[in-house]
Amino acid sequence: MTPSITSQRSAQSGAAMIEVLVALLITAFGILGYVALQARATVGMIEGQQRMQALILVNEISERISLNRRNAFTYVGDDYGVTAPQADCSTAASLAARDVCEWSNLIRGAAEIEGGQQVGALLNARGCISNPATNEYVIHLVWQGVQASAAALNDCGKDDYTSENTRRAVSTRVQIADLGA
């Protein structure tokens, strides 16, 4: 006895349906993988943009210290950019005080304003300038990153963030030449 033609067609159409469902499942996993890849790429892009902005800010104050080398020691301090920006830095008592005021405002995002809001700031950023040796200044800028990674090695802003693994940092060293006697 041979099976009827209708029962053979019924069995084949069920197999085709399973093939379609498997193909849809594979496609769905592929799309989910692509979405996850895009999300990771976006996080990487945000982290890279933040690092670039921090490097620009660190370079900004290092140039100002180099230009005002006679008063470089007056730049030393912690937690620059933590307080609200000052409206007018031109009334500062000295060039160093004005430089620090303007740098603090830049850290807070005063350079980029949209709709009356400062939008150019790094998240929870703060700057620290130290003087570890004669005529040597180390500038740190730390901020809160988007995704956890290894903790920053410097002490600027240490324990001021929800997680040390999200604290990012960039640093530079400024050496002032001693052209004395």
Side-chain angles (χ1 to χ4, degrees):
M1 281 222 156
T2 61
S4 70
I5 294 177
T6 56
S7 65
Q8 287 178 348
R9 283 187 186 161
S10 170
Q12 288 178 353
S13 66
M17 181 60 84
I18 290 174
E19 289 175 2
V20 168
L21 290 174
V22 168
L24 284 173
L25 184 66
I26 291 171
T27 303
F29 276 119
I31 290 172
L32 285 175
Y34 180 74
V35 168
L37 177 68
Q38 286 295 85
R40 290 187 65 88
T42 301
V43 168
M45 184 181 67
I46 291 169
E47 292 275 353
Q49 187 271 339
Q50 288 179 337
R51 183 165 301 276
M52 180 186 67
Q53 187 174 4
L55 288 169
I56 290 169
L57 291 170
V58 165
N59 188 47
E60 170 82 18
I61 195 66
S62 68
E63 288 178 6
R64 289 177 186 237
I65 290 172
S66 294
L67 290 172
N68 192 10
R69 63 185 61 197
R70 289 193 190 273
N71 300 311
F73 191 77
T74 58
Y75 289 87
V76 174
D78 289 330
D79 296 333
Y80 291 122
V82 174
T83 59
Q86 295 180 10
D88 186 15
C89 294
S90 64
T91 60
S94 67
L95 177 61
R98 188 183 78 210
D99 287 345
V100 167
C101 174
E102 290 174 354
W103 189 53
S104 293
N105 287 348
L106 289 172
I107 290 172
R108 296 286 296 193
E112 299 177 42
I113 297 175
E114 184 177 311
Q117 296 291 324
Q118 296 171 346
V119 296
L122 297 168
L123 185 60
N124 296 327
R126 66 183 64 227
C128 302
I129 301 173
S130 62
N131 179 228
T134 304
N135 294 332
E136 182 179 12
Y137 300 90
V138 178
I139 303 162
H140 301 287
L141 187 68
V142 296
W143 70 96
Q144 185 172 341
V146 177
Q147 188 173 4
S149 67
L153 299 177
N154 64 43
D155 289 336
C156 182
K158 188 170 183 161
D159 298 326
D160 289 334
Y161 296 95
T162 55
S163 169
E164 282 299 300
N165 291 336
T166 59
R167 184 172 61 101
R168 304 286 186 267
V170 294
S171 303
T172 191
R173 189 173 303 274
V174 177
Q175 185 73 42
I176 306 294
D178 185 8
L179 302 175

